[in-house]
Amino acid sequence: LLYILLMIKNIALLATLLGIIRYLPQYQKIQNDGNVSSHSKSYIILGIVTGILWGIYNRLTTRDNIAFFSIVVGIVFQLYILLKIIDYERQKLKNV
């Protein structure tokens, strides 16, 4: 039973690391190019709200720190994209 529990934690950790690796190319592209025109502000906000709700659910039920860390990484990345979108829209308005 202990072995199974350790394997589940290892699988969760691996999934979290793969999720972070999945975000890295997008993060680097946005950081280098600054091009967020392919992202929708409403979808990003919806993703942030969804992530916050999942985080609350996680804290109230399982309290799994690895899953919570994964949720927080996703929220932080989406906040970064949202800030870039807002900055992009401000620059666009200045140029008009």
Side-chain angles (χ1 to χ4, degrees), residues 1-18 58-59 61-70:
L1 183 61
L2 181 61
Y3 178 74
I4 293 171
L5 290 174
L6 289 174
M7 286 302 297
I8 290 171
K9 288 291 184 182
N10 288 338
I11 291 171
L13 182 61
L14 178 63
T16 300
L17 292 175
L18 289 175
N58 175 275
R59 292 286 95 183
T61 57
T62 63
R63 294 185 162 268
D64 182 6
N65 291 331
I66 295 173
F68 187 72
F69 176 72
S70 177

Side-chain angles (χ1 to χ4, degrees), residues 52-94:
I52 290 170
L53 291 174
W54 272 115
I56 291 170
Y57 177 77
N58 175 275
R59 292 286 95 183
L60 293 175
T61 57
T62 63
R63 294 185 162 268
D64 182 6
N65 291 331
I66 295 173
F68 187 72
F69 176 72
S70 177
I71 293 167
V72 169
V73 167
I75 291 171
V76 167
F77 180 68
Q78 290 176 336
L79 283 171
Y80 174 75
I81 293 175
L82 182 62
L83 291 174
K84 288 293 189 176
I85 290 172
I86 291 170
D87 188 45
Y88 174 77
E89 288 176 351
R90 282 186 189 149
Q91 293 297 327
K92 200 173 173 181
L93 286 175
K94 279 184 182 178

Side-chain angles (χ1 to χ4, degrees), residues 20-64:
I20 293 170
I21 291 169
R22 182 187 66 156
Y23 284 125
L24 281 178
Q26 280 184 307
Y27 171 77
Q28 289 173 339
K29 184 177 181 189
I30 291 170
Q31 189 178 29
N32 293 338
D33 299 345
N35 185 0
V36 290
S37 60
S38 64
H39 295 279
S40 167
K41 187 165 46 171
S42 59
Y43 284 122
I44 295 295
I45 292 171
L46 181 62
I48 292 169
V49 170
T50 304
I52 290 170
L53 291 174
W54 272 115
I56 291 170
Y57 177 77
N58 175 275
R59 292 286 95 183
L60 293 175
T61 57
T62 63
R63 294 185 162 268
D64 182 6

